């Protein structure tokens, strides 16, 4: 039994763990390791306090079930003693008469049912001897097994201060064996998990929670049970033991700040503080009366771990009623019969401390979670550790993970979201370009084929119609018809030329050009009606950029012409030249009719035009698109065609790298 602490006294129910780090935070000895986001109890480090089982809202921490062994005893025909911890009135408060509770235990099959409270009477008196002796060494109380494990594991230098007195449970087991014979099986029933690993002198330990299950399984209730009294020896005043200060109260002592030399500390924070200060020599003139829980009534083996004051009241009422008709003489006889027995025990070191890593290692880990200066140490406690340094140490020790740092993880997450958005945008734009390029490539091949085939017959038509026109007298009607044929044939040639231009996988001939002057020149080369004003603005500090002059002239003039055609009633055409991160940007906006939403997707498609036959070919923008791409640039368009959304108009934005390194 004494070795149980190394055999998973407390464990994680993995499916239930939701990685909130509450168990890490609440574990007084950091015996919880996070591996791949899952909390695992490290048995060697655990002191069995069971705090994690109490605080986990998901019930992901559980403790070893020892009822199967108890069933084996009950079925064995041997004599079994139920040693009931004095906290039972706080657990079974719904049973009005405690004698019914005893009857239920007997019905379950226990031969004897005894009160560990009598063991507490004995232990309290042993402590009193030490407290009353002014020359005695100061002690750290050892009756809470979690405290004893804590000292043995984490403060082995203080072992000599652990009171060499057995716990009430062990005292009671010794007394029972003395009174009823050695061939008994003893089962301690109480609120504590650490008790399961405390001593090999007791045969089994179950919690009140486990006992309740046994009652339920056997369908034993207070209604179908006859009352019965505890087997002697009957406990006295120390029945108040499970309440904080209970032990002291039972021997008329207190932690009175003026008169006494005892410091009482209970609960996971205070007991550690008390030991730390004791070790530092700050309170070595004081005895330490310590409990890992806020009194045994708050132990993890109770089915309801809250309501400390109600539980205290239940214990008080039980003790008060008990003492009303107390047979002091009978108690004295029992006491005298055992008072000279040996109630001592010794403790050995079981050092579980991990050496503190070097400052360099700690700094390295701190930096890996974004803590470069002291001001970065938020010490928010979200990871379960009190400080960032403690968390970093735990990471080095392999107990914790960097992801547990919430501020760091949130920042990482934000960055990932940003990156993801960026790549999404890039992907969407690449997808669109790809679609457009594919479309253009297909159209290009088709157009090139058609244009090539048409070129020869068209050449012949033009040549012969010109010859015929020249031969026909200038005033004849045939001359006029031939003139029309020549004109229309030339128009066809222009369209075919445009098609070839668009289809040709052109090479660009980049030349360093003053693009301000170049743009001005493009404006000069178009004919703008009077009612259209044109403005050219530039914020460029350096006007030079590499462009293919012929092709770029087509880009600008095509856009300018489109803009002018979109402003039949006049308006304003604005050309702006700006620079962004090494790129130059052409922004060409008009106050024209705009492009409707449904047409926005189509304007770069070859042959898409909204203009009347003979006016538009629908090849301008696809051509521009191809040229911009060949300049390794980007083209985008914003437009509003509905007056309800504000002034109408269109703006083309073209960005190209300024340099030649495409
Ligand atoms: P085209 O000018 O021969 O029609 P484009 O490819 O140059 O062919 O333009 C395609 C279509 O895009 C035009 O017919 C027109 O509907 C629309 N468009 C282009 N630029 C503008 C603009 N500045 N304002 C309004 N619509 C425009
Ligand atoms: Mg056009």
């Amino acid at each position: 039994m004494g070795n149980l602490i190394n055999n998973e006294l407390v464990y994680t129910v993995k499916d239930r763990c939701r990685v909130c780090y509450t168990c890490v935070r609440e574990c007084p000895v950091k015996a919880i390791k996070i591996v791949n986001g899952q909390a695992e109890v490290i048995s060697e480090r655990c002191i069995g306090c069971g705090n994690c089982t109490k605080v986990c809202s998901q019930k992901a921490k559980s403790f070893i079930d020892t009822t199967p062994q108890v069933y084996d005893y009950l079925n064995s025909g041997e004599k079994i003693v139920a040693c009931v911890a004095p906290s039972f009135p706080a657990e079974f408060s719904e049973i009005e008469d405690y004698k019914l509770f005893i009857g239920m235990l007997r019905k379950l099959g226990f031969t004897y049912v005894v009160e560990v409270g009598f063991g507490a009477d004995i232990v309290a008196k042993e402590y009193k001897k030490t407290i009353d002796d002014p020359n005695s060494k100061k002690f750290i109380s050892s009756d809470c097994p979690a405290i004893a494990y804590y000292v043995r594991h984490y403060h082995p230098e203080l072992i000599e201060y652990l009171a060499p007195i057995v716990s009430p449970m062990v005292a009671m087991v010794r007394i029972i064996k003395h009174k009823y014979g050695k061939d008994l099986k003893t089962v301690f029933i109480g609120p504590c998990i650490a008790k399961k690993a405390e001593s090999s002198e007791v045969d089994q330990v179950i919690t009140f929670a486990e006992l309740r299950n046994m009652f339920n399984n056997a369908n034993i209730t207070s209604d179908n049970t006859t009352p019965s009294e505890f087997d002697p020896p009957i406990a006295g005043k120390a029945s108040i033991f499970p309440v904080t200060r209970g032990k002291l109260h039972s021997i008329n002592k207190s932690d009175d700040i003026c008169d006494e030399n005892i410091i009482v500390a209970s609960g996971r924070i205070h007991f550690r503080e008390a030991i730390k200060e004791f070790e530092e020599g700050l309170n070595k003139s004081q005895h330490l009366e310590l409990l890992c829980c806020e009194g045994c009534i708050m132990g993890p083996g109770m089915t309801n771990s809250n309501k400390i004051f109600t539980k205290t009241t239940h214990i008080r009422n039980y003790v008060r009623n008990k003492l009303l008709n107390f047979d002091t003489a009978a108690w004295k006889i029992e006491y005298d019969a055992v008072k000279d027995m040996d109630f001592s025990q010794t403790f050995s070191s079981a050092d579980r401390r991990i050496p503190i890593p070097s400052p360099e290692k700690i700094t390295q880990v701190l930096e890996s979670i974004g803590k470069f200066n002291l001001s970065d140490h938020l010490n928010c406690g979200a990871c379960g550790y009190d400080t960032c340094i403690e968390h970093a140490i735990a990471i080095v020790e392999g107990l914790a993970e960097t992801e547990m740092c919430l501020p760091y993880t949130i920042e990482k997450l934000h960055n990932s979201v940003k990156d993801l958005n960026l790549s999404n945008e890039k992907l969407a734009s690449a997808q669109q370009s790809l679609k457009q390029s594919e479309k253009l490539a297909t159209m290009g091949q088709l157009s090139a084929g058609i244009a090539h085939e048409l070129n020869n017959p068209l050449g012949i038509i033009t040549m012969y119609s010109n010859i015929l026109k020249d031969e026909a007298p200038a005033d004849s009607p045939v001359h006029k018809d031939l003139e029309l044929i020549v004109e229309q044939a030339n128009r066809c040639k222009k369209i075919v030329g445009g098609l070839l231009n668009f289809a040709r996988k052109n090479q660009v001939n980049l030349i360093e050009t003053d693009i301000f002057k170049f743009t001005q020149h493009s404006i000069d080369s178009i004919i703008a009606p009077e009612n259209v004003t044109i403005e050219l603005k530039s914020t460029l500090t350096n006007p030079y950029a590499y462009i293919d002059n012929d092709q770029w002239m087509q880009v600008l003039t095509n856009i300018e012409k489109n803009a002018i055609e979109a402003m039949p009633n006049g308006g304003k055409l604005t050309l702006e030249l700006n620079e962004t991160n090494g790129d130059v940007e052409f922004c060409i906006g008009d106050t024209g009719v705009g492009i409707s939403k449904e047409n926005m997707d189509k304007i770069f498609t070859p042959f898409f035009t909204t203009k009347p036959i003979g006016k538009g070919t629908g090849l301008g923008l696809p051509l521009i698109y191809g040229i911009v791409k060949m300049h390794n640039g980007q083209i985008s368009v914003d437009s509003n065609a509905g007056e309800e959304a504000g002034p109408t108009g269109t703006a083309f934005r073209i960005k190209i790298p300024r340099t030649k390194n495409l």
Side-chain angles (χ1 to χ4, degrees), residues 254-406:
S254 71
D255 54 342
D256 186 305
I257 42 171
C258 298
D259 297 338
E260 298 289 358
N261 52 356
I262 305 160
I263 283 181
V264 176
S266 58
R268 69 174 181 98
I269 294 172
H270 287 148
F271 89 76
R272 279 184 304 156
E273 280 297 314
I275 289 178
K276 189 165 163 265
E277 290 178 26
F278 187 85
E279 188 168 51
E280 287 167 359
L282 298 176
N283 53 18
K284 273 207 165 134
S285 62
Q286 306 282 307
H287 297 293
L288 294 189
E289 167 63 20
L290 305 180
L291 289 174
C292 195
C293 301
E294 302 276 354
C296 302
I297 50 170
M298 297 307 285
M302 309 284 284
T303 49
N304 183 353
S305 54
N306 306 319
K307 302 210 170 75
I308 183 168
F309 302 110
T310 312
K311 285 179 181 175
T312 306
T313 308
H314 289 310
I315 299 288
R316 277 185 184 177
N317 291 344
Y318 172 75
V319 178
R320 193 180 307 119
N321 286 336
K322 175 193 249 299
L323 296 180
L324 274 181
N325 307 309
F326 194 60
D327 186 346
T328 314
W331 182 88
K332 184 83 172 61
I333 293 169
E334 294 284 1
Y335 176 73
D336 287 341
V338 297
K339 70 173 197 292
D340 295 326
M341 279 174 60
D342 176 16
F343 292 110
S344 69
Q345 70 166 327
T346 52
F347 294 96
S348 59
S349 159
D351 198 343
R352 301 283 194 268
R353 289 171 298 182
I354 303 176
I356 302 241
S358 69
E360 294 77 36
K361 260 246 140 35
I362 299 174
T363 311
Q364 202 183 339
V365 170
L366 281 169
E367 287 180 0
S368 77
I369 48 175
K371 321 262 178 263
F372 296 94
N373 305 308
L374 265 183
S375 59
D376 297 329
H377 291 211
L378 301 182
N379 297 332
C380 66
C383 58
Y385 292 86
D386 288 343
T387 62
C388 298
I389 294 191
E390 280 177 41
H391 181 204
I393 292 174
I395 294 174
V396 181
E397 289 169 347
L399 300 180
E401 294 176 333
T402 49
E403 285 72 20
M404 292 163 73
C405 177
L406 204 64

Side-chain angles (χ1 to χ4, degrees), residues 513-516 518-520 522 536-537 540 543 545-547 552 555-556 559-560 574-580 583-589 628 631 634-636 651-657:
T513 309
D514 179 332
I515 55 171
F516 182 79
F518 188 85
T519 309
Q520 183 60 56
S522 79
L536 171 61
K537 297 191 252 183
L540 295 178
Y546 279 85
I547 50 172
W552 209 252
V555 168
L556 295 181
I559 295 183
E560 288 158 9
T574 314
L575 296 99
E576 285 180 51
L577 304 177
N578 300 312
E579 52 188 308
T580 49
D583 292 338
V584 286
E585 188 184 62
F586 295 75
C587 182
I588 307 168
V628 171
H631 281 72
Q634 283 164 7
I635 179 163
S636 61
F652 282 89
R653 223 171 264 278
I654 303 174
K655 234 197 263 183
I656 51 165

Side-chain angles (χ1 to χ4, degrees), residues 11-18 35 38-40 60:
Y11 59 91
T12 300
V13 186
K14 289 215 163 148
D15 296 346
R16 294 202 184 146
C17 177
R18 303 273 299 276
V35 186
Q38 278 275 332
E40 266 176 33

